[in-house]
Amino acid sequence: MPSPVPVTRLLPKDIYPSLDFGTCSSPLAKYSLGTTLQVPVQRLHGKVGSRLWSTVIHWKELRSVQPVGSGGFGSVYRAEYLGDTVALKKVKKCTKNKLASRQSFWAELNAAHLRHGNVVRVIAATTCMPSDLGDEGSIGAILMEFVGDRNLHQMIYGCDELEDRWLRYATDIATGLRFLHSHSVVHLDIKPANVLVSSEDVCKIADFGCSLKLDLGCEVNSLSPSLSHVGGTYTHRAPELLKGERLSPKADIFSFGITLWQLITREQPYSGDRQYVLYAVVAHNLRPPVQEHPVFRSEQGGLCRTLLSRCWSGDVCCRPSAQELLPHLEQLTSQI
């Protein structure tokens, strides 16, 4: 669940005793061991490149704050911090569902202690904001590495040429998922808009507001009241979640399959009323069109069809793990 976890769950025992700690109040205190969250505070040496995230944002060091975009639970800004370009996300309260907005903030930190080239890095997070930058509608702020201005959705449906890059992008996403799943983090909202593309043309998984940190080897009942924030985008959401059944990392694989189809075809996965799509995905095994699409008629296209059918299978057991995805993507690469 998205509530804070003890630092002993985040770091090896030979590391955490030597660290300084800061305190960050948790709105989900009843799920933690106490009323506050203790996380390791990174020691700053003029740069934000420390491998540990901090509960302290040095607000006086934040400069040139410019809006980048906004979503359901927050707004993102580009800024300069300690000499580096960073992204600042302010998580706002949702008046209709205050619990969900608080859970979204803490879910953003499920992967904060992790470092990987295909996952957006968290630098710092806090529930304490200065009056000139915060507002009464903000729960807290998260400081992250600034990946760039482009996400995969913009590239798929824009003018960018993807003929020689879509498979590399898919491999980046699968590699990021393999890493997250190996640390028991399930993203639950994998889609092109939540994959950022860096200036080095590398895909990084972002926006962990729907994520969950699972106990090793366990699944979670998505209908639990404590998981009210679990949502994701309906076009990419696995049928077991739509049915309120137990969730696992395989839910991300289903979403990856829809995303891979978008990378290949550069089309929208579904058309029509939202409720119809939700019903048809569950009751009639509706999936994006493959058989009649010309791009799937080549030898490589046949391999893609097979992989897609496994990724978005209604039977969770038939879907490959993120680890198992990578050899299939390598096989596709050999067909180019």
Side-chain angles (χ1 to χ4, degrees), residues 136-168:
E136 294 183 356
S138 293
I139 293 174
I142 303 170
L143 209 61
M144 301 169 286
E145 67 169 312
F146 184 80
V147 176
D149 297 312
R150 303 177 300 168
N151 64 47
L152 202 54
H153 182 92
Q154 294 166 331
M155 298 189 68
I156 290 174
Y157 300 110
C159 299
D160 298 81
E161 187 58 59
L162 298 181
E163 285 188 3
D164 60 345
R165 292 189 284 175
W166 67 269
L167 191 49
R168 178 159 49 83

Side-chain angles (χ1 to χ4, degrees), residues 62-264:
L62 200 65
R63 306 206 185 337
S64 304
V65 180
Q66 301 292 331
V68 173
S70 61
F73 283 124
S75 300
V76 180
Y77 303 82
R78 176 175 178 166
E80 297 298 319
Y81 185 68
L82 298 172
D84 287 334
T85 303
V86 297
L88 172 68
K89 183 172 185 177
K90 296 197 315 185
V91 180
K92 62 185 179 182
K93 295 178 182 177
C94 177
T95 56
K96 293 183 179 180
N97 194 336
K98 294 180 181 180
L99 175 60
S101 57
R102 290 197 300 270
Q103 287 180 319
S104 176
F105 173 76
W106 291 104
E108 288 277 7
L109 305 181
N110 279 328
H113 61 291
L114 303 176
R115 297 290 178 265
H116 190 272
N118 299 119
V119 177
V120 172
R121 178 169 58 89
V122 172
I123 298 165
T126 182
T127 56
C128 304
M129 299 178 62
S131 56
D132 58 332
L133 284 176
D135 54 66
E136 294 183 356
S138 293
I139 293 174
I142 303 170
L143 209 61
M144 301 169 286
E145 67 169 312
F146 184 80
V147 176
D149 297 312
R150 303 177 300 168
N151 64 47
L152 202 54
H153 182 92
Q154 294 166 331
M155 298 189 68
I156 290 174
Y157 300 110
C159 299
D160 298 81
E161 187 58 59
L162 298 181
E163 285 188 3
D164 60 345
R165 292 189 284 175
W166 67 269
L167 191 49
R168 178 159 49 83
Y169 290 165
T171 301
D172 283 349
I173 299 169
T175 303
L177 285 177
R178 177 181 63 178
F179 175 77
L180 292 172
H181 294 172
S182 72
H183 290 83
S184 302
V185 175
V186 186
H187 188 278
L188 294 178
D189 198 16
I190 293 294
K191 61 180 180 180
N194 286 342
V195 177
L196 303 181
V197 184
S198 73
S199 57
E200 291 79 26
D201 211 31
V202 174
C203 286
K204 293 176 178 272
I205 298 172
D207 199 340
F208 284 78
C210 291
S211 69
L212 288 174
K213 180 73 166 65
L214 304 180
D215 289 332
L216 287 175
C218 292
E219 296 178 335
V220 171
N221 188 335
S222 61
L223 292 181
S224 169
S226 62
L227 302 180
S228 61
H229 78 296
V230 174
T233 305
Y234 79 94
T235 53
H236 294 67
R237 200 175 186 201
E240 65 268 19
L241 303 188
L242 296 175
K243 291 186 288 186
E245 297 176 351
R246 301 182 74 82
L247 67 85
S248 73
K250 295 292 185 71
D252 283 344
I253 303 302
F254 182 94
S255 303
F256 171 85
I258 305 294
T259 300
L260 176 60
W261 183 91
Q262 290 175 276
L263 275 167
I264 296 170

Side-chain angles (χ1 to χ4, degrees), residues 39-42 44 52-58 122-126:
V39 294
V41 175
Q42 63 184 8
L44 298 171
L52 299 179
W53 67 285
S54 171
T55 57
V56 176
I57 295 178
H58 299 267
V122 172
I123 298 165
T126 182

